[in-house]
Amino acid sequence: MKMDQKPALLIIDMINDFNFTHGEILSQKTSTIMYSILNLKDYFYKKNWPVIYINDHYKLWKADLESLIQHCSNERSKHIIDKIAPRAEDYFLIKPKHSAFYGTALDTLLQELKVDVLVLTGIAGNICVLFTANDAYMREYSLYVPKDCTASNHDEDNIYALTMMKEVLKANIEPSKIIYDL
Amino acid sequence: MKMDQKPALLIIDMINDFNFTHGEILSQKTSTIMYSILNLKDYFYKKNWPVIYINDHYKLWKADLESLIQHCSNERSKHIIDKIAPRAEDYFLIKPKHSAFYGTALDTLLQELKVDVLVLTGIAGNICVLFTANDAYMREYSLYVPKDCTASNHDEDNIYALTMMKEVLKANIEPSKIIYDL
Amino acid sequence: MKMDQKPALLIIDMINDFNFTHGEILSQKTSTIMYSILNLKDYFYKKNWPVIYINDHYKLWKADLESLIQHCSNERSKHIIDKIAPRAEDYFLIKPKHSAFYGTALDTLLQELKVDVLVLTGIAGNICVLFTANDAYMREYSLYVPKDCTASNHDEDNIYALTMMKEVLKANIEPSKIIYDL
Amino acid sequence: MKMDQKPALLIIDMINDFNFTHGEILSQKTSTIMYSILNLKDYFYKKNWPVIYINDHYKLWKADLESLIQHCSNERSKHIIDKIAPRAEDYFLIKPKHSAFYGTALDTLLQELKVDVLVLTGIAGNICVLFTANDAYMREYSLYVPKDCTASNHDEDNIYALTMMKEVLKANIEPSKIIYDL
């Protein structure tokens, strides 16, 4: 990252009900990556950089964090949500589709915050994270997608998505410890 | 409205803190139009048509109805918010700028609901309602902007905005009772 | 304009067939404002600032300047098109609807050019220029809409649109000579 | 395809200068897939379904087919452009970035044409075709991406992109002959 750049941490779809095929497996993988994401959050707080949650709205069509958490909480998700739910000072947006940019105020928020570097984390790596990365690249954001902060139903799909983001989108996909030198 | 069309009621920026120049005047005018909007809401419930709130987020950048209501509640607004706050079954979206379509999931929601007619209500008539009407027109929605359901700081601006919506956007600006025949 | 700002000149819908109600009147008014716009163009060339045409595509749905000019040329328009048609070095985009930002690459182009101030010119002042101004304002561009560089079918609508842009969008609507001091 | 659906053929970035790493290889592969695309074009003409070119603008920022063809014509591309250049009756749009939907009028055109099924063809399969497919999926279009009508620098990337479109986006990726039964 260059001296005059400003990053934001994006946390994608971590308020999740895991209510889909392979949901249980993804929930387990998410339990693992969660700690790397939480460490990144702490680092972003320390640096006074923005932390932005952007999350599926589960057909509630409701900009209402409370209803969303209630809807998503279950056996597969509760231990994750308890740890990762946004704090009062975090930004929190809902998205209607896969990309965090489609039908959301994300780009407006990032411009207001003068952010030009995105650190993408969350699930699933080969769907919502990848769609978001593509859209970020078209909008000229520099990208970090730390490989220990994203997971997909199948590991090979996660690896392939990471490889695509590296090669097509020039994303840095090194593990999150690289962020601590930014 | 044609037989095969489906309307949605849009309620724009009615969760408002009225914390701006002429805010007190607009709050008084809003107290008046509120009843026409509430009647429309009841009618839309009866017809099983969607009711969609779309509201400024007051720089909270937070899809969180509770924080928004808390932020906006004050002497000028409380009696309005108490009456018009969304119920559990209403859709509720936040918008980052003036138009209800800019940086929001509104168009995606309307397409999912198969809505092609919009009834626009709320404040201010010559700003957020007008911007929304323009954007709706470019997206080919038919428009009703009942003149008893919108208000602006200055009455003449409200009238001029209504006239523009009628002439440029082909909006029907008759009082809301016309809606009850749809 | 601040020292570090960069303007672009937008020329809206001046390749026009004037084939609509009041088209002949608007063609006459356009013949008048054309000279102020051409002078601005020369000044922008001198300063090495970008000149961007953005034009209705007349349902041709074709990114093809030649077909567009051919389609629009007629008794009412030919003397205007002859004078104002884009040169090789001008940017030229088509738009599907009223606003120059809706369904176009304009915002991407402006970001690439690092433009943050827009000088809006062209027709009609109360429709395409106004819609464009609204959209520019939501995207945080500073606005100049020189009152001698825009026209509408009815003069009073033009004046009202200018007033709205001044009051709601903080646009500078002084005559174009003010631009020469930027 | 269901009885009441209407498809459009999208031809992506086939007016290409192949002026990039591996450009010569991609030019050769494109010479091969070109014939399947041309056959599809003929079939779409016969059925009276729309054919839409959407093409990179090569930093010309100019909605001008003639300049684009001139810019792209060279030893690697001329034999392709000669065969596949759009005819007068084809739609032709330029795009500023990878996805055919980003900063373009494509969605507006498709809605006007009442199209709900897209047949995606062109290059590169793992970049512009994939980005376009993702964006089409979020906008709820049904997708065909015939595997003999798309190519990428590396065959394995093309296959992986096709697999992703099949699995994540529910695209039909059978060879183009399946289209002739639509």
Side-chain angles (χ1 to χ4, degrees):
Chain A
M1 204 174 70
K2 290 175 209 142
M3 281 294 291
D4 58 343
Q5 287 190 310
K6 183 177 170 191
L9 178 65
L10 247 64
I11 299 178
I12 300 172
D13 282 343
M14 290 289 285
I15 315 295
N16 206 303
D17 65 3
F18 299 103
N19 232 330
F20 45 81
T21 323
H22 304 297
E24 187 147 14
I25 294 169
L26 190 57
S27 152
Q28 285 160 18
K29 292 180 185 172
T30 303
S31 312
T32 311
I33 62 164
M34 175 175 63
Y35 294 100
S36 307
I37 301 177
L38 287 171
N39 287 339
L40 275 181
K41 263 193 87 172
D42 282 340
Y43 185 67
F44 270 67
Y45 287 143
K46 223 177 295 172
K47 300 286 266 185
N48 211 15
W49 289 336
V51 172
I52 305 170
Y53 286 74
I54 183 125
N55 215 89
D56 198 277
H57 69 329
Y58 290 90
K59 298 287 173 202
L60 299 175
W61 292 104
K62 205 137 201 176
D64 184 12
L65 179 54
E66 203 44 49
S67 332
L68 185 69
I69 286 180
Q70 209 174 312
H71 172 92
C72 285
S73 292
N74 61 35
E75 270 191 5
R76 289 179 184 175
S77 66
K78 205 179 166 315
H79 67 289
I80 297 171
I81 294 174
D82 282 350
K83 284 227 157 47
I84 208 145
R87 295 196 214 163
E89 64 264 43
D90 300 331
Y91 298 101
F92 175 74
L93 300 174
I94 54 174
K95 63 183 175 65
K97 295 284 180 174
H98 313 77
S99 164
F101 286 92
Y102 184 72
T104 77
L106 180 59
D107 206 30
T108 304
L109 172 57
L110 296 174
Q111 286 183 37
E112 188 171 300
L113 297 171
K114 300 192 187 310
V115 162
D116 38 22
V117 177
L118 294 179
V119 180
L120 303 185
T121 65
I123 55 179
N126 69 325
I127 305 182
C128 292
V129 175
L130 177 61
F131 276 54
T132 299
N134 286 349
D135 271 358
Y137 180 68
M138 291 197 289
R139 285 158 183 82
E140 315 248 336
Y141 294 96
S142 299
L143 291 173
Y144 289 78
V145 192
K147 61 172 75 171
D148 55 332
C149 296
T150 177
S152 305
N153 293 353
H154 302 288
D155 287 347
E156 75 218 38
D157 287 336
N158 206 53
I159 291 165
Y160 200 91
L162 285 164
T163 310
M164 278 186 61
M165 292 189 264
K166 183 182 170 191
E167 283 175 14
V168 178
L169 315 180
K170 325 288 177 230
N172 184 319
I173 61 168
E174 295 299 303
S176 55
K177 64 174 188 231
I178 204 181
I179 305 290
Y180 301 111
D181 301 326
L182 290 188
Chain B
M1 205 174 69
K2 292 175 208 142
M3 281 294 293
D4 58 343
Q5 287 190 308
K6 182 177 170 191
L9 177 65
L10 247 63
I11 300 177
I12 299 173
D13 282 343
M14 290 289 285
I15 315 295
N16 206 303
D17 66 3
F18 298 103
N19 231 329
F20 45 80
T21 323
H22 302 297
E24 186 146 15
I25 294 169
L26 190 57
S27 151
Q28 285 159 18
K29 293 181 185 172
T30 303
S31 311
T32 312
I33 61 165
M34 176 175 62
Y35 294 100
S36 307
I37 300 178
L38 288 170
N39 287 340
L40 275 181
K41 262 193 86 171
D42 282 340
Y43 185 67
F44 270 67
Y45 288 143
K46 222 177 296 173
K47 299 287 266 184
N48 210 16
W49 290 336
V51 172
I52 304 170
Y53 285 73
I54 182 122
N55 214 90
D56 197 277
H57 69 328
Y58 289 91
K59 298 288 173 201
L60 300 175
W61 290 106
K62 206 140 201 172
D64 184 13
L65 178 54
E66 203 45 47
S67 331
L68 185 69
I69 286 180
Q70 210 173 311
H71 172 93
C72 284
S73 292
N74 61 35
E75 270 190 7
R76 289 179 184 175
S77 65
K78 205 179 165 313
H79 66 289
I80 297 171
I81 294 175
D82 282 350
K83 284 228 157 46
I84 208 146
R87 295 197 215 162
E89 65 264 42
D90 300 332
Y91 298 102
F92 175 74
L93 300 174
I94 55 174
K95 63 183 174 66
K97 295 283 181 177
H98 314 77
S99 165
F101 286 92
Y102 184 71
T104 76
L106 180 59
D107 206 30
T108 304
L109 172 57
L110 295 174
Q111 285 185 35
E112 187 171 298
L113 297 171
K114 300 191 186 312
V115 162
D116 38 22
V117 177
L118 294 179
V119 180
L120 303 185
T121 66
I123 54 178
N126 69 325
I127 306 182
C128 292
V129 175
L130 177 61
F131 276 54
T132 300
N134 286 348
D135 272 358
Y137 180 67
M138 292 197 288
R139 287 158 181 82
E140 315 247 335
Y141 293 97
S142 299
L143 291 172
Y144 288 79
V145 192
K147 61 172 76 171
D148 55 332
C149 296
T150 176
S152 305
N153 294 352
H154 303 289
D155 287 348
E156 74 216 39
D157 288 335
N158 207 54
I159 291 165
Y160 201 91
L162 284 165
T163 310
M164 280 185 60
M165 293 189 264
K166 183 181 170 192
E167 282 175 15
V168 179
L169 316 179
K170 325 288 178 229
N172 185 318
I173 61 169
E174 296 298 304
S176 55
K177 63 176 188 228
I178 203 181
I179 305 290
Y180 302 111
D181 301 326
L182 291 189
Chain C
M1 204 173 70
K2 292 175 208 141
M3 280 295 291
D4 58 343
Q5 287 190 308
K6 184 177 169 190
L9 178 64
L10 246 64
I11 300 178
I12 299 172
D13 283 343
M14 289 290 284
I15 315 295
N16 205 303
D17 66 3
F18 298 103
N19 233 329
F20 46 81
T21 322
H22 302 296
E24 187 146 14
I25 293 168
L26 189 58
S27 150
Q28 284 160 19
K29 293 180 184 172
T30 304
S31 312
T32 312
I33 62 164
M34 173 174 65
Y35 294 100
S36 307
I37 300 178
L38 288 170
N39 287 339
L40 275 181
K41 262 193 87 170
D42 282 339
Y43 185 67
F44 269 68
Y45 288 143
K46 223 177 295 171
K47 300 287 265 187
N48 210 17
W49 289 336
V51 173
I52 304 170
Y53 285 73
I54 181 120
N55 215 91
D56 196 278
H57 69 329
Y58 289 91
K59 298 286 171 202
L60 299 175
W61 291 104
K62 205 140 201 173
D64 184 14
L65 178 54
E66 202 46 47
S67 332
L68 184 70
I69 286 180
Q70 210 173 311
H71 172 92
C72 285
S73 293
N74 60 36
E75 270 191 5
R76 289 178 185 175
S77 66
K78 204 178 167 315
H79 67 288
I80 297 171
I81 294 174
D82 283 351
K83 284 229 156 49
I84 208 146
R87 296 197 213 162
E89 65 266 42
D90 300 332
Y91 297 101
F92 176 74
L93 299 174
I94 55 174
K95 63 183 173 66
K97 295 283 181 176
H98 312 78
S99 164
F101 286 91
Y102 183 72
T104 76
L106 180 59
D107 206 31
T108 304
L109 173 57
L110 295 173
Q111 286 185 35
E112 188 171 299
L113 297 170
K114 300 191 186 311
V115 162
D116 38 22
V117 177
L118 294 180
V119 180
L120 303 186
T121 66
I123 55 178
N126 69 325
I127 306 182
C128 292
V129 174
L130 177 61
F131 277 54
T132 300
N134 286 348
D135 272 357
Y137 181 68
M138 291 196 290
R139 287 159 182 80
E140 315 248 335
Y141 293 96
S142 299
L143 290 174
Y144 289 78
V145 191
K147 61 171 77 171
D148 55 331
C149 296
T150 177
S152 305
N153 293 352
H154 302 289
D155 287 348
E156 75 218 37
D157 288 335
N158 207 53
I159 291 165
Y160 201 91
L162 284 164
T163 310
M164 280 185 59
M165 293 189 263
K166 184 181 169 192
E167 284 175 13
V168 179
L169 316 180
K170 327 287 179 229
N172 185 318
I173 62 168
E174 296 299 303
S176 56
K177 65 175 189 232
I178 204 182
I179 305 290
Y180 301 112
D181 301 326
L182 291 188
Chain D
M1 203 173 71
K2 291 175 210 141
M3 280 295 291
D4 58 343
Q5 288 189 307
K6 184 177 169 190
L9 177 64
L10 246 64
I11 299 177
I12 299 171
D13 282 343
M14 291 288 287
I15 315 295
N16 206 303
D17 66 3
F18 298 103
N19 233 329
F20 45 81
T21 323
H22 303 297
E24 187 146 15
I25 293 169
L26 189 58
S27 151
Q28 285 161 19
K29 292 180 185 171
T30 304
S31 311
T32 311
I33 62 164
M34 174 175 65
Y35 294 101
S36 307
I37 300 177
L38 288 170
N39 287 340
L40 275 181
K41 262 192 87 169
D42 282 340
Y43 185 68
F44 270 67
Y45 287 144
K46 224 176 294 172
K47 300 287 267 187
N48 211 15
W49 290 336
V51 172
I52 304 170
Y53 286 73
I54 182 120
N55 214 91
D56 196 278
H57 70 327
Y58 290 92
K59 299 283 173 204
L60 299 175
W61 291 105
K62 206 139 202 173
D64 184 12
L65 178 55
E66 202 45 48
S67 331
L68 185 70
I69 286 180
Q70 211 173 311
H71 172 93
C72 285
S73 293
N74 61 35
E75 271 191 4
R76 289 178 184 175
S77 66
K78 206 180 165 313
H79 67 287
I80 297 170
I81 294 174
D82 283 350
K83 284 227 156 49
I84 208 147
R87 296 197 213 161
E89 65 265 43
D90 300 332
Y91 297 102
F92 175 75
L93 300 174
I94 55 173
K95 63 183 173 67
K97 294 284 181 175
H98 312 79
S99 164
F101 286 91
Y102 183 71
T104 76
L106 181 59
D107 206 31
T108 304
L109 173 57
L110 295 174
Q111 286 184 36
E112 187 170 299
L113 297 170
K114 301 190 186 310
V115 162
D116 37 22
V117 177
L118 294 179
V119 179
L120 303 185
T121 66
I123 54 180
N126 69 326
I127 305 181
C128 292
V129 174
L130 177 62
F131 276 54
T132 300
N134 286 349
D135 272 358
Y137 181 67
M138 291 195 289
R139 286 158 184 82
E140 315 250 333
Y141 293 97
S142 299
L143 291 173
Y144 288 79
V145 191
K147 60 172 75 170
D148 55 332
C149 295
T150 177
S152 304
N153 293 352
H154 302 288
D155 287 348
E156 75 217 37
D157 287 336
N158 207 55
I159 291 165
Y160 200 90
L162 285 164
T163 310
M164 279 184 61
M165 293 189 264
K166 184 181 169 192
E167 283 175 14
V168 179
L169 316 179
K170 326 289 177 227
N172 184 318
I173 61 169
E174 296 298 303
S176 55
K177 63 174 190 234
I178 203 181
I179 305 291
Y180 301 112
D181 300 326
L182 292 188

